[in-house]
Amino acid sequence: MLCSYSSSDNEKQNESNEQQQQNECEINEINKEKRKKKCEFCNENESKYCCPACQLFTCSLNCSKLHKLKLNCSGKKDATKFIAINQFNFLNLVDDYTFLEEVNASTKEAASKRNKKTMLARHLQTLVRRAAARKVDLYLMPSIMTKRKQNTSFFQFKQQTLYWRVEWIFDQAQLSVVNNRIADTENLLNVINQHLKSNLNNELIKPYLFDLNDQSSINWNLRMLVPHQNASKPVWYEADFSSTIRKALEGKKIIEFPTIHIILKTHLDKYPIFQNTNSTSTSNSTSNSNSNSNSNSN
């Protein structure tokens, strides 16, 4: 049994050697045919090169460069070019195999880079986790995005406080101001009042002015754009201006950092409030179940 096994192995080895020799002969024949041809550009000297793209035979580097200019040829082989089965040879098979290997390698490299880019730094993981603990759905963008680069929010471990970058937009005054790092324990009214005082020279800001001791003098409301909605029909979160930043952000989705719009009451009709259908349906189902249980008990 051992002898017969070794003899079959020898036969397979001989067959593979014969196939390899045949392939080498085929390549040599193709190369000989190339060398026999004259330069197809100058038609004077014997050809030495074959353009991978257009298969034109040339005799020198000069002719090769000239043919690229005049024929607008890239000089690069089209790996996906169709080849009829009766013209398909061993070289084409090697080219196809090489192409597939390159595609496989580039795919793995792209996947590796994508995984590295999508991995958040530790301080960003902490930021998302601490925001979630405050009932805030925080979404971070890819690192190349402008908003991602602008975000200076961070969590302070010693104080156990989340510091947000907050953008305040006074829509009707065409004014935008930013707090790069402000504690979420700060009161909204106090922060807005500070920004109003620092922009008193802006005539359009006057309708926003109010008395801190008299909330009835406030002529505006707060809105935050709801993300992941139809851009042509934006909807808005409502925020309580008498609360802290932490309380105002609770239960909301935020991309990178909060942007709070201060809207005069005369323009509020242009900022429709977001209706949370999930919470509504949940409350309805709860009330229905309660009513059913009551009827059953009766």
Side-chain angles (χ1 to χ4, degrees):
M1 291 296 291
L2 290 174
C3 292
S4 61
Y5 180 78
S6 60
S7 62
S8 63
D9 280 355
N10 289 333
E11 288 176 3
K12 289 180 180 179
Q13 183 65 37
N14 291 333
E15 286 179 5
S16 64
N17 290 337
E18 287 176 5
Q19 183 63 42
Q20 188 176 356
Q21 289 175 1
Q22 185 178 348
N23 292 334
E24 289 176 357
C25 290
E26 189 176 347
I27 293 171
N28 291 332
E29 287 297 323
I30 293 169
N31 290 332
K32 283 179 183 178
E33 288 179 10
K34 288 180 181 179
R35 285 194 291 269
K36 287 178 183 177
K37 290 187 177 182
K38 279 193 173 184
C39 176
E40 293 179 293
F41 194 77
C42 67
N43 204 25
E44 293 179 359
N45 304 317
E46 193 176 278
S47 64
K48 293 181 181 178
Y49 313 105
C50 178
C51 177
C54 64
Q55 303 299 310
L56 189 79
F57 291 93
T58 53
C59 64
S60 63
L61 182 61
N62 186 45
C63 283
S64 179
K65 288 181 177 179
L66 287 173
H67 106 271
K68 288 179 184 178
L69 290 172
K70 291 193 176 181
L71 301 180
N72 196 23
C73 177
S74 64
K76 294 181 180 179
K77 187 172 185 176
D78 183 7
T80 59
K81 183 181 177 181
F82 174 77
I83 299 173
I85 191 66
N86 59 348
Q87 297 176 350
F88 197 85
N89 56 39
F90 179 71
L91 284 178
N92 300 131
L93 178 63
V94 172
D95 290 340
D96 285 353
Y97 179 80
T98 305
F99 174 68
L100 292 174
E101 284 291 309
E102 289 174 354
V103 170
N104 186 42
S106 60
T107 304
K108 288 181 178 178
E109 185 181 359
S112 175
K113 287 181 179 179
R114 184 169 61 250
N115 291 335
K116 287 179 181 178
K117 287 181 179 179
T118 52
M119 286 180 64
L120 288 175
R122 184 172 295 179
H123 71 283
L124 294 176
Q125 293 178 18
T126 302
L127 180 64
V128 173
R129 190 169 59 252
R130 295 293 179 168
R134 288 161 168 75
K135 299 180 181 178
V136 178
D137 287 334
L138 178 62
Y139 296 85
L140 298 181
M141 305 175 80
S143 58
I144 60 171
M145 304 300 286
T146 302
K147 201 166 184 178
R148 170 87 284 277
K149 294 175 181 178
Q150 289 175 340
N151 193 2
T152 50
S153 307
F154 77 105
F155 181 75
Q156 229 290 343
F157 280 96
K158 287 185 179 179
Q159 301 172 6
Q160 289 294 298
T161 304
L162 203 158
Y163 286 81
W164 288 105
R165 173 191 166 93
V166 182
E167 185 178 7
W168 312 85
I169 299 178
F170 298 83
D171 287 55
Q172 285 68 54
Q174 299 176 6
L175 175 68
S176 175
V177 290
V178 174
N179 288 105
N180 282 317
R181 287 180 176 178
I182 184 167
D184 63 356
T185 54
E186 290 283 345
N187 183 272
L188 287 168
L189 274 179
N190 291 335
V191 179
I192 292 170
N193 189 46
Q194 291 172 11
H195 288 309
L196 290 173
K197 285 182 177 179
S198 60
N199 288 278
L200 289 174
N201 57 338
N202 185 347
E203 288 293 324
L204 297 174
I205 210 71
K206 289 183 178 179
Y208 286 95
L209 299 176
F210 66 96
D211 184 0
L212 267 177
N213 300 318
D214 181 16
Q215 290 192 10
S216 63
S217 64
I218 296 174
N219 191 33
W220 43 261
N221 255 322
L222 303 182
R223 295 287 186 269
M224 295 174 62
L225 186 63
V226 180
H228 310 144
Q229 299 293 316
N230 189 342
S232 62
K233 295 180 181 179
V235 287
W236 305 77
Y237 291 124
E238 191 174 20
D240 181 9
F241 53 69
S242 62
S243 65
T244 61
I245 295 174
R246 176 172 178 170
K247 190 67 178 175
L249 299 181
E250 193 174 291
K252 296 177 175 61
K253 294 179 181 180
I254 294 172
I255 298 178
E256 289 294 341
F257 53 84
T259 299
I260 301 175
H261 295 253
I262 302 93
I263 312 296
L264 292 176
K265 289 182 178 179
T266 53
H267 293 76
L268 286 176
D269 58 327
K270 298 177 182 176
Y271 300 81
I273 300 296
F274 172 64
Q275 301 296 331
N276 194 340
T277 54
N278 292 332
S279 63
T280 306
S281 61
T282 305
S283 61
N284 288 338
S285 62
T286 306
S287 61
N288 289 336
S289 62
N290 289 335
S291 61
N292 290 334
S293 61
N294 290 334
S295 62
N296 290 334
S297 62
N298 293 332

